[in-house]
Amino acid sequence: DAGVTQSPTHLIKTRGQQVTLRCSPKSGHDTVSWYQQALGQGPQFIFQYYEEEERQRGNFPDRFSGHQFPNYSSELNVNALLLGDSALYLCASSFSLLGRTQYFGPGTRLLVL
Amino acid sequence: GENVEQHPSTLSVQEGDSAVIKCTYSDSASNYFPWYKQELGKGPQLIIDIRSNVGEKKDQRIAVTLNKTAKHFSLHITETQPEDSAVYFCAASPLGRGGTASKLTFGTGTRLQVTL
């Protein structure tokens, strides 16, 4: 049973560029949440997708956007990258009908220079 | 919004001793409290969770207690082993629509080191 997978594992971008990160949920899961984890901090909630719609959003600017596909996989897009966007981006999946347990992927490490 | 505080930030114990990590939360609407273990270079791994209708839950060497009145919950690890060394995060979440997963608010983490 495949767990949550994310790609790429590492990414280096420069300020002002745009980036797309990808997530495939755990088999059988239909809800995807994205979190940003700065070095030495706990993960911070960005947004959650269910039924291809953004259902909840944290305190992140509109530069952060996402998408969920019919196969439940998801993308996180960040425009106009800032140095402060450097972080580990985590995807978590859950199953809408079985409660709120969220399982995390290994993350994508983004470095903005 | 919800605010979760976690203590201590670092904890060093000898193998075989117990470790306790404590968290407090601010939002009385929170009713789901998971604990995650994060090893270097990996994503957080769920180790145990508790819902607000339960005061204590145990899974082998790991237990979690919840005091809703005081708005705090704790992780207890007994008979610690070197492989328990990692960063541990507590989190809190309110009830999502239809009982589904809602946003997790995390503490700042506790780095646990188990020495031989």
Side-chain angles (χ1 to χ4, degrees):
Chain A
D1 179 21
V4 180
T5 60
Q6 293 185 244
S7 63
T9 55
H10 296 82
L11 205 51
I12 299 175
K13 292 287 187 178
T14 56
R15 281 178 299 174
Q17 284 189 313
Q18 178 264 345
V19 68
T20 297
L21 310 181
R22 295 174 177 83
C23 170
S24 290
K26 185 177 169 67
S27 178
H29 285 188
D30 57 5
T31 303
V32 173
S33 302
W34 287 92
Y35 293 80
Q36 180 195 66
Q37 186 177 24
L39 203 59
Q41 300 296 318
Q44 288 200 316
F45 176 77
I46 303 174
F47 43 53
Q48 182 184 82
Y49 277 84
Y50 171 64
E51 291 185 328
E52 302 180 45
E53 290 185 7
E54 182 183 294
R55 300 291 180 162
Q56 298 181 68
R57 190 178 183 93
N59 295 325
F60 280 81
D62 292 344
R63 298 187 298 109
F64 289 77
S65 63
H67 188 78
Q68 186 180 35
F69 299 94
N71 67 351
Y72 309 120
S73 66
S74 176
E75 288 182 349
L76 164 65
N77 301 292
V78 187
N79 294 323
L81 284 167
L82 304 174
L83 297 180
D85 294 331
S86 296
L88 179 67
Y89 288 86
L90 295 162
C91 168
S93 75
S94 55
F95 181 41
S96 59
L97 299 181
L98 280 181
R100 67 276 298 278
T101 303
Q102 297 185 37
Y103 296 90
F104 283 83
T108 294
R109 174 74 62 188
L110 173 64
L111 177 61
V112 182
L113 301 176
Chain B
E2 175 66 277
N3 182 48
V4 177
E5 295 189 357
Q6 183 172 347
H7 300 280
S9 56
T10 60
L11 180 59
S12 182
V13 299
Q14 285 196 323
E15 183 180 8
D17 287 349
S18 295
V20 180
I21 302 170
K22 298 182 178 182
C23 289
T24 61
Y25 63 99
S26 61
D27 189 352
S28 56
S30 289
N31 57 9
Y32 172 65
F33 308 93
W35 286 86
Y36 287 87
K37 173 184 180 182
Q38 187 172 28
E39 297 175 290
L40 197 61
K42 297 184 178 181
Q45 175 191 4
L46 178 72
I47 56 172
I48 195 167
D49 57 11
I50 191 168
R51 285 157 173 74
S52 59
N53 59 345
V54 176
E56 184 174 356
K57 183 176 178 180
K58 189 174 182 180
D59 183 5
Q60 299 183 341
R61 298 186 298 110
I62 295 174
V64 58
T65 59
L66 171 65
N67 184 327
K68 284 180 58 181
T69 303
K71 293 195 182 75
H72 67 71
F73 55 113
S74 302
L75 177 71
H76 305 253
I77 305 174
T78 59
E79 301 172 21
T80 53
Q81 302 168 2
E83 51 266 38
D84 293 330
S85 297
V87 179
Y88 291 79
F89 290 98
C90 63
S93 170
L95 181 67
R97 282 183 294 176
T100 58
S102 186
K103 60 176 279 188
L104 293 171
T105 300
F106 283 83
T108 50
T110 296
R111 182 172 299 278
L112 173 65
Q113 184 171 6
V114 180
T115 58
L116 297 174

